[in-house]
Amino acid sequence: MDDLRITYRGSRGEVPAVRGISMSLEPGDTLGLAGESGCGKSTVAGAILRLLPRETQVTGRIVLDGDDVLTMSFGKLRAVRWAGASIVFQGAMHSLNPVHRIARQIAEPIVLHEGLSSDAAEKRAVELMAQVGLPAWRASSYPHQLSGGQRQRVMIAMALACSPQLIIADEATTALDVMIQAQVLALIKRLVAERNIALVMISHDLSVLADTCDRLAVMYAGKLVEDGPSHEVFAAARHPYAQALSAAFPTVGDPAERRNPHGLAGDPPDPSNLPTGCSFHPRCPVVRDDCASTSVELRRARDDWRAACLRVEEVA
Ligand SMILES: Nc1ncnc2c1ncn2[C@@H]1O[C@H](COP(=O)(O)OP(=O)(O)OP(=O)(O)O)[C@@H](O)[C@H]1O
Ligand code: SF4
Ligand SMILES: [Mg+2]
């Protein structure tokens, strides 16, 4: 993705939700995307499959396997959804069709995109169910007969159904209890590694991302402010905002810490009324005089690590 900019347009005027994001993923790469509520994470996810409201202005490039998603025909886009990239949303488990059996729902995209007969697709669906830890006899269950964790497994099986090159998991495990969440995360991690699928995992919880992904990117007010190796970013972020976020979750994998974050003073800014210069400056604990007047882009903190702070060397 190259210089992705997204502005929502509605009755309340323009909301510049994403303000110039560039990043790339190779097959098998796993990227965690973090940031407070409203920073633009789901907007980025929605843009990758062109799922945003029609009147939204999207500029830049999103290239999937050589083709630009933003300019491709609807026919091509239909093929890309599921087969090229698929999304598992937060609470997506509630979007299962209550009147269709599980196997039939998983089989649906396979029939549509790979032209298999319903019987052959349902057979494949049962194989996929086994991969996500659902026994074959569950094939004839209806969604209401499954637990939340099991329904989220069904969503993951659907996301895998057409062997996509990219899976985007947007708060896919947030609604689950801690034990089930750990199981589902381990499952996603194993499946993307086995199949060499690229993964973008979105969460406000850095510790989940550091556990699951090799790379960690942090967004603030519609921009990337940090992007580097996940365990190192988690342990010693270079951007003061990313530092505050990781300080809020000091121990990777400790659920008690996750429920009691230290928090960060102040609120995230309103995207339609952003502070000048570095948009984090009103909340930054190490702000200096020029931060309010100097716009700051990502700078190289190390070969594999970038941060958008004027003080990146000192902060390190
Ligand atoms: N359809 C829409 N119309 C107008 N503004 C929107 C729309 N959807 C989202 N926004 C705004 O865009 C900004 C980014 O929203 P987005 O949903 O991408 O945030 P997020 O990082 O996913 O937050 P969360 O962690 O709460 O899911 C927010 O300020 C939000 O209010
Ligand atoms: S540029 Fe200034 S305000 Fe922004 S994060 Fe760095 S020190 Fe803080
Ligand atoms: Mg979101």
Side-chain angles (χ1 to χ4, degrees):
M1 124 184 355
D2 187 25
D3 198 24
L4 181 66
R5 290 170 190 271
I6 303 168
T7 304
Y8 289 108
R9 290 195 276 210
S11 51
R12 289 175 56 232
E14 301 207 333
V15 180
V18 173
R19 301 182 300 124
I21 288 194
S22 303
M23 59 183 162
S24 62
L25 261 79
E26 300 295 326
D29 282 357
T30 53
L31 174 82
L33 190 57
E36 281 167 298
S37 185
C39 70
K41 305 178 298 295
S42 298
T43 303
V44 170
I48 294 175
L49 284 180
R50 249 165 75 186
L51 298 171
L52 300 175
R54 189 191 300 268
E55 57 281 4
T56 310
Q57 186 187 48
V58 185
T59 63
R61 271 158 45 90
I62 299 175
V63 179
L64 262 178
D65 202 21
D67 290 314
D68 189 343
V69 176
L70 299 181
T71 55
M72 69 179 49
S73 67
F74 273 103
K76 175 89 190 166
L77 185 63
R78 256 198 307 275
V80 162
R81 290 180 181 160
W82 297 108
S86 55
I87 299 194
V88 186
F89 288 110
Q90 170 170 19
M93 53 194 183
H94 303 296
S95 65
L96 290 170
N97 189 328
V99 301
H100 286 164
R101 291 176 302 104
I102 295 306
R104 166 149 176 221
Q105 300 198 43
I106 301 173
E108 222 163 83
I110 305 174
V111 172
L112 202 68
H113 291 286
E114 302 195 1
L116 262 63
S117 69
S118 311
D119 283 354
E122 286 209 17
K123 205 163 153 248
R124 171 97 71 85
V126 173
E127 289 163 17
L128 285 161
M129 286 173 57
Q131 286 180 8
V132 300
L134 289 171
W137 64 268
R138 277 290 182 199
S140 56
S141 296
Y142 290 91
H144 74 270
Q145 295 170 318
L146 304 183
S147 69
Q150 287 169 332
R151 283 197 293 250
Q152 202 61 316
R153 284 163 191 265
V154 172
M155 295 309 303
I156 294 166
M158 286 175 78
L160 287 168
C162 298
S163 307
Q165 294 155 311
L166 170 68
I167 291 185
I168 303 157
D170 187 355
E171 305 277 8
T173 60
T174 307
L176 304 175
D177 77 56
V178 176
M179 293 294 288
I180 305 291
Q181 181 181 50
Q183 282 174 18
V184 174
L185 287 171
L187 172 72
I188 294 177
K189 194 172 164 179
R190 178 171 63 78
L191 292 175
V192 297
E194 277 173 11
R195 295 164 169 236
N196 210 29
I197 296 171
L199 171 71
V200 176
M201 178 167 281
I202 295 174
S203 176
H204 58 281
D205 186 337
L206 246 66
S207 63
V208 158
L209 298 177
D211 264 352
T212 314
C213 302
D214 296 330
R215 235 169 87 200
L216 188 56
V218 178
M219 280 182 75
Y220 188 79
K223 284 187 157 197
L224 281 186
V225 295
E226 180 131 10
D227 175 8
S230 65
H231 277 275
E232 287 181 274
V233 171
F234 187 77
R238 304 292 172 98
H239 191 284
Y241 173 66
Q243 286 175 351
L245 269 195
S246 51
F249 304 103
T251 315
V252 174
D254 180 345
E257 299 281 10
R258 213 175 279 168
R259 281 192 296 271
N260 290 304
H262 298 314
L264 179 72
D267 294 315
D270 171 2
S272 346
N273 187 18
L274 288 171
T276 55
C278 169
S279 26
F280 185 56
H281 84 260
R283 302 170 80 190
C284 182
V286 294
V287 60
R288 61 182 200 198
D289 289 346
D290 54 346
C291 294
S293 55
T294 316
S295 76
V296 44
E297 300 300 325
L298 283 171
R299 307 165 165 216
R300 199 168 284 271
R302 212 174 67 188
D303 270 355
D304 56 350
W305 199 337
R306 300 177 299 164
C309 172
L310 295 174
R311 307 184 71 164
V312 71
E313 287 85 12
E314 298 163 59
V315 169

